[in-house]
């Protein structure tokens, strides 16, 4: 069984090098879905009824494509788009839910109804954890806890300095704690939006 430790041994039995290598492998798998997710955001721009929101979405997609890390206000400006048509949780098409599932390291091989239910449940749990974490304070977390929290939310924190991870987690919490339950599709997409171009992230 030691020939296949990633598949057959739980995380606690991994050596430090194995843990870094395996987290890199898992992140590479979820990162494969990022272009597909971003491509869909571009495609739906004409479906956004508000011209101002169309502009904000275009700007956000352009920034990310150019390798720029978006500001918190760039993302929160679009919260209305993610609360109903075309990007609300109940309006997402099957292929986008499959891509988002892969970005969350969840299996995409389920019927649409189950994919939607699981994504909702998963995102709701993260949202609740975010509120609790914001109340506790990032400063109370150990370095490993910070890196684990970042990784869960889409950032490959294994090669990023602790302080940079704390900064990123702070940005995530600001966004998350500003969102209502109806806007959680934005938090789900934030796994890609906020992590793709963060300083120190492996390309």
């Amino acid at each position: 069984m030691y020939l296949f430790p990633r598949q057959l041994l739980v995380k606690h039995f991994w050596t430090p090098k194995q843990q870094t290598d395996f987290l890199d492998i898992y992140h590479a798998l979820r990162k494969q879905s990022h272009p597909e997710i971003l491509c869909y955001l571009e495609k739906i721009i004409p479906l956004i009824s508000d011209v101002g929101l169309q502009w904000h979405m275009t700007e956000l997609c352009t920034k990310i494509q150019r390798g720029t890390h978006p500001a918190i206000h760039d993302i929160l400006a679009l919260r209305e788009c993610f609360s109903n048509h075309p990007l609300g949780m109940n309006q997402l098409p099957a292929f986008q839910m499959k891509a988002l599932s892969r970005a969350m390291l969840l299996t995409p091989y389920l019927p649409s109804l189950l994919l939607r239910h699981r994504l909702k449940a998963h995102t709701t749990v993260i949202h609740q954890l975010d509120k609790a974490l914001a109340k506790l304070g990032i400063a109370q977390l150990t370095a490993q806890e910070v890196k684990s929290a970042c990784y869960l939310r889409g950032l490959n924190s294994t090669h990023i300095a602790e302080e940079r991870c704390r900064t990123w987690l702070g940005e995530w919490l600001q966004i998350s704690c500003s969102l209502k339950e109806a806007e959680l599709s934005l938090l789900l997409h934030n796994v890609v939006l906020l992590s793709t171009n963060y300083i120190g992230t492996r390309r």
Side-chain angles (χ1 to χ4, degrees):
M1 69 183 290
Y2 298 109
L3 294 176
F4 305 99
R6 181 164 62 95
Q7 287 80 15
L8 300 176
L9 291 178
V10 296
K11 185 177 178 180
H12 299 294
F13 291 99
W14 296 353
T15 67
K17 183 179 185 306
Q18 284 175 333
Q19 183 166 339
T20 299
D21 290 345
F22 297 159
L23 290 177
D24 280 343
I25 290 170
Y26 290 135
H27 184 72
L29 290 173
R30 66 183 178 183
K31 194 173 180 181
Q32 290 174 5
S33 65
H34 289 193
E36 186 178 346
I37 292 168
L38 293 171
C39 181
Y40 180 69
L41 294 183
E42 280 191 296
K43 286 182 178 179
I44 58 85
I45 290 174
L47 302 179
I48 299 173
S49 57
D50 186 277
V51 176
L53 291 176
Q54 283 187 5
W55 183 85
H56 279 298
M57 182 66 82
T58 302
E59 284 291 296
L60 178 63
C61 291
T62 301
K63 279 186 177 183
I64 293 175
Q65 287 176 343
R66 291 178 177 173
T68 302
H69 179 64
I72 293 171
H73 63 81
D74 292 329
I75 295 173
L76 286 178
L78 291 163
R79 57 198 298 172
E80 186 179 334
C81 297
F82 290 85
S83 62
N84 45 49
H85 182 77
L87 290 168
M89 197 73 83
N90 291 327
Q91 284 77 40
L92 294 175
F95 62 83
Q96 184 74 345
M97 290 192 292
K98 289 178 183 292
L100 288 165
S101 293
R102 294 197 301 273
M104 297 296 288
L105 293 177
L106 301 171
T107 179
Y109 305 112
L110 290 174
S112 295
L113 186 65
L114 291 179
L115 282 176
R116 197 181 312 278
H117 175 75
R118 193 183 52 180
L119 285 173
K120 280 183 181 180
H122 198 75
T123 308
T124 298
V125 168
I126 290 178
H127 192 224
Q128 292 170 345
L129 288 173
D130 289 343
K131 290 179 179 179
L133 184 52
K135 188 174 182 179
L136 174 67
I138 298 174
Q140 301 301 313
L141 301 182
T142 66
Q144 185 55 51
E145 287 171 339
V146 168
K147 284 180 173 283
S148 295
C150 290
Y151 195 91
L152 173 67
R153 292 160 176 81
L155 184 72
N156 187 10
S157 52
T158 55
H159 303 283
I160 301 178
E162 178 190 342
E163 285 308 309
R164 296 297 305 169
C165 288
R166 290 184 185 274
T167 298
W168 186 89
L169 186 57
E171 292 180 7
W172 173 282
L173 292 181
Q174 278 188 258
I175 294 170
S176 180
C177 293
S178 299
L179 298 178
K180 301 174 183 175
E181 184 178 349
E183 300 166 334
L184 288 188
S185 177
L186 177 54
L187 189 64
L188 179 58
H189 284 80
N190 204 40
V191 168
V192 177
L193 299 175
L194 199 65
S195 69
T196 300
N197 295 323
Y198 191 62
I199 296 172
T201 303
R202 279 190 170 185
R203 297 287 179 144

